[in-house]
Amino acid sequence: MKVLVIGKGGREHALCWKLKQSPRVTAVFCAPGNAGTALDVQNVAIEAHDLRGLAQFARREGIDLTVVGPEEPLTKGIVDLFQREGLRIFGPRRDAAELEGSKVFAKELMRQAGIPTADYRIFRSAPDAEHYVLSREVALVIRSRGRSTIRNTIHARTAAEALDAVERILDPREMMGPGVQVEIEDRGTRKAYSSVVEARDAVLSCPVGLVVKADGLAAGKGVYVCGTVREALTAIDQVMIRRVYGQAGDRLLIEERLDGRETSILALTDGRTIVPLASSQDYKRALDGDQGPNTGGMGAFSPTPMVTPELMQQVEREILVPVVHALKRARRPFRGVLYAGLMLTNQGPKVLEFNVRFGDPETQVILMRLKSDLLDAIEAVVDERLDSTALEWDSRPSVTVVMAAEGYPGPYERNRVIQNLPQVDAMKDVKVFHAGTKPRPDPEPGRGPRVVSDGGRVLNVTALGDDLAAARDRAYQAVRAVRFPGGIYRRDIAEGIDATPTA
Ligand code: AMP
């Protein structure tokens, strides 16, 4: 069988690597791929958004099965297009991919299906959204100091009331003498201001627990976890007024901020049967100790003790089964891999988001442990016979460490030559999945192409070990052996985990 994988990241390299191991696979192509997929399989120079070009290639080459990595082609309808042309493809159709493509759609579906998630409101205009933020409950006490016509103490229940109070107190027309000040008491701390600008600023700094989200796809961005009124107003401004995500910001969601620990669960589904994949835990922040900005993911490990068998069952019962059924009832049957991003709150797991594809870098650690034939599992989804499929996992844990370009997730340099990769790949139970790399012809004749960096997240150095500590040690040993000038990585992936193997 000939298989085509669409995408160019570490996830796609892992998919290619695993699919190639299937005895039924004769050729694997990756479009457009990276330097790693060029070594393991065959790259095709077609971008993931060129749906027609991909379908033409699949037809011309006689591809038997296509596997889609990223969300964008799915939300643009690549599965619908391939199916219309009689081409077999793994992934949800456009209308089911809306689950990731529109946060508004996902939230409304969850509400209808009674799936636990943060409370939310939907907005179509910036003033409405701002009004909502300013009418959130706050607890500020505003007092006038000095001679003013305004009564002494005002208990403001919302930021709007507080702003109104400070503006009235500091309105020169209300002052009956010089030296009038406004005092703002916020959770026992009092401070006095003579300037309206400073007093307004203090009100806007008061805490609220809100999350502002652009409705549409925003390349992993477009979500603002806001600690203050000002942050929430700034987020609305970015999404709806400055429109930094374009049309993705036509609608906006504001939801309550949830507290707890985050995890994710991935499952295969053919629209009826659900087969969860091994659990995994990823690291989103750029720096050790979960500091620094959010990224696409700096590392992961599998399995995670956070996902106990009981939690897995609860998530299946309360989240995965209801969402798959709700999509079916809505005549948008979901076939593919469903990714539930979860917050484990005091009231149980709640959904932060759904993705409609494999996670990156979770897939790298999950596939490293998959013993079953991935092609069999994927075909069972496509042919709607997942009920006869059981997956077998390596009991050994896996760890992946992302090597990124210095500066990521901010601006970074490309085209750094990376060396020693064949030696690292030859280490036992180690696999280097390439993410942002490309091959560059070696200037010396007769030598193969060099690997150069071509993205923010560059390599996913992945290892298995007898226990989590051994897997981590091996992964870091491999990371240290990679010669990547300007490469950075977190040093605490899979560290400090009480690793009782679970799901
Ligand atoms: P999303 O793309 O919706 O998963 O959001 C990206 C990140 O924002 C999540 O991984 C969380 O860290 C955070 N986040 C999203 N929604 C919430 C929420 N309701 N409460 C707290 N954090 C959230």
Side-chain angles (χ1 to χ4, degrees), residues 103 107 118-119 211 213 220-221 223-225 255-259 262 284 294 341 343 351-355:
K103 291 186 188 293
K107 277 290 198 181
D119 280 341
V211 184
K213 300 183 175 183
K221 304 200 180 75
V223 173
Y224 299 79
V225 179
E255 55 181 58
E256 65 165 326
R257 196 174 75 197
L258 300 174
D259 285 322
E262 272 187 72
K284 282 267 183 283
N294 251 323
M343 186 73 89
V351 177
L352 293 174
E353 62 164 347
F354 283 114
N355 294 331

Side-chain angles (χ1 to χ4, degrees), residues 205-428:
S205 301
C206 73
V208 286
L210 293 176
V211 184
V212 175
K213 300 183 175 183
D215 172 42
L217 286 186
K221 304 200 180 75
V223 173
Y224 299 79
V225 179
C226 304
T228 65
V229 172
R230 185 189 303 98
E231 284 170 18
L233 295 177
T234 306
I236 295 168
D237 182 65
Q238 294 278 321
V239 175
M240 287 203 129
I241 312 254
R242 290 177 206 272
R243 299 186 65 82
V244 293
Y245 311 107
Q247 277 186 1
D250 283 352
R251 290 187 295 181
L252 174 143
L253 261 144
I254 301 182
E255 55 181 58
E256 65 165 326
R257 196 174 75 197
L258 300 174
D259 285 322
R261 294 192 300 168
E262 272 187 72
T263 192
S264 57
I265 287 180
L266 285 83
L268 295 176
T269 177
D270 60 1
R272 276 182 311 201
T273 305
I274 294 164
V275 176
L277 301 180
S279 71
S280 65
Q281 187 64 42
D282 78 334
Y283 291 77
K284 282 267 183 283
R285 298 296 195 98
L287 306 175
D288 287 3
D290 287 331
Q291 302 295 308
N294 251 323
T295 70
M298 295 301 288
F301 64 91
S302 171
T304 168
M306 219 195 283
V307 180
T308 59
E310 296 76 42
L311 177 69
M312 191 63 117
Q313 278 168 18
Q314 188 183 5
V315 169
E316 255 193 276
R317 192 175 61 240
E318 294 178 6
I319 294 168
L320 298 177
V321 171
V323 74
V324 168
H325 283 169
L327 284 165
K328 197 170 167 201
R329 275 198 306 277
R331 298 188 192 289
R332 300 172 186 238
F334 191 100
R335 276 185 296 275
V337 60
L338 189 57
Y339 172 121
L342 305 173
M343 186 73 89
L344 307 182
T345 72
N346 290 337
Q347 297 124 47
K350 293 192 178 187
V351 177
L352 293 174
E353 62 164 347
F354 283 114
N355 294 331
V356 299
R357 33 95 189 157
F358 287 103
D360 189 339
E362 294 91 333
T363 304
Q364 288 83 313
V365 281
I366 291 173
L367 293 185
M368 196 78 175
R369 295 185 53 225
L370 180 63
K371 282 182 149 178
S372 315
D373 186 330
L374 178 62
L375 179 70
D376 289 347
I378 284 181
E379 286 202 293
V381 171
V382 173
D383 300 339
E384 296 181 43
R385 47 176 175 77
L386 197 58
D387 51 351
S388 60
T389 299
L391 298 176
E392 202 192 330
W393 300 98
D394 195 326
S395 59
R396 293 175 300 163
S398 58
V399 171
T400 191
V401 178
V402 172
M403 297 186 79
E406 195 174 352
Y408 174 78
Y412 53 81
E413 276 186 37
R414 294 170 194 257
N415 291 311
R416 293 294 189 97
V417 176
I418 303 166
Q419 286 173 307
N420 223 28
L421 289 173
Q423 290 82 338
V424 177
D425 244 347
M427 289 169 67
K428 188 171 176 300

Side-chain angles (χ1 to χ4, degrees), residues 129-140 157-163 186 200-210 212 224-237 254 257:
E130 285 159 5
H131 180 261
Y132 176 76
V133 169
L134 290 172
S135 57
R136 287 304 76 213
E137 201 171 305
V138 297
L140 296 177
R157 284 159 308 165
T158 66
E161 282 180 16
L163 288 175
D186 180 2
R200 278 184 61 95
D201 215 47
V203 169
L204 295 180
S205 301
C206 73
V208 286
L210 293 176
V212 175
Y224 299 79
V225 179
C226 304
T228 65
V229 172
R230 185 189 303 98
E231 284 170 18
L233 295 177
T234 306
I236 295 168
D237 182 65
I254 301 182
R257 196 174 75 197

